[in-house]
Amino acid sequence: MSKIKGVIFDLDGVIVDTAKFHFLAWKKLANDLGFDFTELQNEELKGVSRVRSLEKILEWGNTSLSEDEFIKKMAVKNDNYLSYITNLTSKDILPGVSRIIDFLTEENIPISLGSASKNARPILKKTGLIEKFHAIVDGNDVSKAKPDPEVFLIAAEKIGVAKENCLVFEDSVAGVQAANIAGMMSIGIGEKDVLHEADHVFSSFEEIEIDFIKKLLTT
Ligand code: G6P
Ligand code: MG
């Protein structure tokens, strides 16, 4: 493994616990259309763009919508999602995340965001983290959804770090696959069974020792 010189964070489910709000808002949409989907199916929505998520949900419900209805449903989902996150603050940063970000900052390691979300900037502002990022690549900057590596390749380019020297933190299967395809080191945050394709998996940032990160920066 190459020395790590830059770190890319996914947002939802990695930095903030917003993955549960995406789930709630999609579930409401499906329920309004008369069907439901499971938490296991929801794993397939993590890291995936808004459009692709709705396409998948409609497939699960054997339902189709006109183009107009599709756009309206996406807007309703996003409005619901935004209503869940209006009061987001620095208190909603997941445990252990700030400790790692602060360590990387002290070590002068550039940090980039690599998220599929179009709501990434407001979330980083609300949580007071935006200044910590040297680059932000989000759903407004990419055309291909994870597992396509586009978002991470742009994120690496923006911080001027070669892909083999990048480390990606991800909570989604699609995101871990995207990092692997990009040729970057992947660290999964979540369950080992789900994220088994990652180079390392931790159940949360609290489980990550600073020494572990230090080694990645020096060896
Ligand atoms: C992230 C989340 C997905 C979400 C996607 C688009 O990758 O993991 O659950 O659907 O971003 O987010 P947006 O905020 O633009 O709807
Ligand atoms: Mg995520």
Side-chain angles (χ1 to χ4, degrees):
M1 278 285 180
S2 311
K3 202 159 141 172
I4 296 305
K5 297 180 181 168
V7 175
I8 304 172
F9 287 80
D10 172 49
L11 176 70
D12 299 303
V14 167
I15 293 177
V16 272
D17 198 8
T18 40
K20 65 180 181 212
F21 298 131
H22 280 294
F23 176 53
L24 284 179
W26 284 129
K27 197 173 166 62
K28 183 169 170 20
L29 179 145
N31 292 167
D32 289 348
L33 288 169
F35 60 92
D36 206 357
F37 61 88
T38 63
E39 285 206 39
L40 194 64
Q41 283 174 304
N42 185 57
E43 289 301 326
E44 290 182 43
L45 300 182
K46 288 186 180 172
V48 172
S49 69
R50 204 179 300 173
V51 173
R52 189 66 199 116
S53 298
L54 183 49
E55 285 171 354
K56 275 175 169 279
I57 291 166
L58 294 176
E59 280 167 27
W60 295 336
N62 279 317
T63 308
S64 60
L65 295 174
S66 70
E67 214 179 306
D68 265 13
E69 285 170 325
F70 190 100
I71 290 167
K72 272 188 204 149
K73 285 286 179 200
M74 280 202 305
V76 170
K77 183 270 169 179
N78 196 49
D79 286 348
N80 281 329
Y81 174 68
L82 291 178
S83 76
Y84 298 144
I85 63 162
T86 27
N87 298 323
L88 214 65
T89 69
S90 60
K91 291 198 182 97
D92 298 292
I93 300 171
L94 283 164
V97 171
S98 296
R99 185 178 55 105
I100 302 290
I101 289 183
D102 290 345
F103 173 71
L104 294 170
T105 306
E106 277 164 29
E107 298 290 314
N108 290 317
I109 297 294
I111 302 173
S112 185
L113 191 84
S115 165
S117 175
K118 294 188 173 176
N119 296 303
R121 282 173 190 272
I123 290 175
L124 288 179
K125 278 187 196 148
K126 278 169 188 285
T127 50
L129 286 173
I130 200 152
E131 304 298 336
K132 307 266 182 191
F133 284 80
H134 299 82
I136 294 170
V137 184
D138 65 20
N140 301 294
D141 306 306
V142 294
S143 54
K144 297 175 204 140
K146 296 171 188 174
D148 190 284
E150 183 186 25
V151 64
F152 295 143
L153 293 174
I154 301 175
E157 199 185 310
K158 282 207 177 180
I159 52 173
V161 177
K163 48 189 180 1
E164 61 272 20
N165 300 118
C166 284
L167 158 64
V168 174
F169 286 112
E170 256 295 346
D171 71 315
S172 70
V173 175
V176 165
Q177 290 170 340
N180 292 346
I181 294 168
M184 300 175 179
M185 178 186 279
S186 53
I187 296 192
I189 304 293
E191 286 176 34
K192 274 209 170 81
D193 291 358
V194 178
L195 302 174
H196 56 87
E197 289 171 72
D199 292 311
H200 302 273
V201 182
F202 296 93
S203 58
S204 94
F205 275 89
E206 284 186 307
E207 307 280 303
I208 306 178
E209 303 277 352
I210 290 293
D211 270 358
F212 170 79
I213 303 286
K214 224 179 234 173
K215 267 192 202 123
L216 300 181
L217 307 183
T218 49
T219 49

